[in-house]
Amino acid sequence: MTVTSHDNVPTTVLDGAVKDYSRDKVYVLTAIFLGVVTLVEIATYAFPDFPVWADELVVPVLMILMAVKFFTIVYVFMHLKFDKPILTRIFYMGLVLAVLVYVAMLSTFRIWFHGQHG
Amino acid sequence: MAETLTSRPTIADADAHQASAHIDADTNTGISNTKLGMWLFLASECLLFGGLITTYLLYKHPLEGPTPHEIFDIPFTSTSSFVLLMSSLTMVLAVSAIERGEHQRMRVWIGATAVLGATFIAGQIYEFTVFVREGLGFTTSRFSSAFYTLTGFHGIHVTIGIIMLVSLVLLSLRGKIPEHKAETVEIVGLYWHFVDVVWVVIFAVVYLIPS
């Protein structure tokens, strides 16, 4: 079987895929999406007074944009979306453990209360 | 039962009959041990970088020396971040190419990924040089130590990734990455994408969030 770069990748060679599609096109579109999200992140620095992320809102907005980029890369580029669920569980195990441990640590140092940590 | 176990297609069968190595490995999980090992490693890396980011957050307000937002050059770092982000695209296109058996195309994409990674590292070295010239050495303050340790560790990870990418190209040129070993490229790709997602977090937490 000869498959050229312009052919769709057949379902039989994609773990968990439900239909054939051109993966390269999806990857390029994903990269464009990531680039746009990065531009929005940079805009929070360039235009700090924009109403959507003015004042206290900038931190949650940046956290949401960061999470969107993080999970887009993990699911599409790292293929977690197409791989067996055990790999997702393994990765989440480390990620959730890290978040819990370090949120606990930051809480111990009272970082959430401005000027009281250290 | 024995028939069930032996009737699963092996990787060698895949090499003989398919243009891709996306097939169940002959293990209990159906995933090759190498791939499983890489994901376990990446899960443990979450704890490593989590620790470094937490330390940075605790020490980001320096008692002496320049403050983060006095020295950070956001437009420059944004460009570096964009370069690293695009290297993830070239990496995934390399994986896609080898899965179709296109070795030449795979080498081109991997070469592009290595060049983009090297550009990022060059930018980081330049940034560090500027910071040191402006009076922010490794031992200047708690902030500087935490900052250089975090971003330096990430830079070392990127450098190791570049070495792996160059090794892949050399192995491919010597014909040592046939289709049934396409997973090698995928595993290096997993490492590279992880380095990218770590930078996504560092860029937002260290550079963009105001003090």
Side-chain angles (χ1 to χ4, degrees), chain A residues 14-96:
Chain A
L14 285 167
D15 293 340
V18 290
K19 60 177 183 177
D20 301 349
Y21 62 93
S22 172
R23 284 201 291 181
D24 287 3
K25 189 180 171 187
V26 169
Y27 295 147
V28 172
L29 290 174
T30 304
I32 292 170
F33 171 72
L34 290 169
V36 171
V37 176
T38 306
L39 283 177
V40 176
E41 281 183 328
I42 297 164
T44 64
Y45 170 82
F47 309 104
D49 296 327
F50 191 68
V52 176
W53 51 71
D55 304 323
E56 302 288 317
L57 287 176
V58 70
V59 176
V61 166
L62 280 171
M63 289 293 101
I64 290 167
L65 293 173
M66 181 192 77
V68 167
K69 284 170 73 180
F70 185 99
F71 288 107
T72 303
I73 294 172
V74 168
Y75 272 88
V76 181
F77 286 173
M78 294 173 84
H79 295 159
L80 267 192
K81 187 180 173 190
F82 313 112
D83 268 329
K84 293 185 187 302
I86 188 175
L87 296 178
T88 307
R89 291 188 205 118
I90 286 172
F91 185 63
Y92 277 175
M93 189 179 66
L95 185 63
V96 170

Side-chain angles (χ1 to χ4, degrees), chain B residues 21-82:
Chain B
H22 261 294
I23 195 159
D24 281 3
D26 200 12
T27 60
N28 287 342
T29 55
I31 301 162
S32 77
N33 292 331
T34 348
K35 188 169 177 177
L36 199 62
M38 177 51 85
W39 275 105
L40 278 167
F41 169 70
L42 297 182
S44 73
E45 287 275 278
C46 289
L47 286 155
L48 169 72
F49 280 104
L52 293 172
I53 291 168
T54 304
T55 309
Y56 174 81
L57 288 174
L58 288 172
Y59 289 157
K60 70 186 277 192
H61 302 289
L63 299 174
E64 62 283 314
T67 62
H69 293 277
E70 282 172 0
I71 58 160
F72 286 164
D73 182 353
I74 302 298
F76 180 81
T77 313
S78 301
T79 310
S80 292
S81 303
F82 190 75

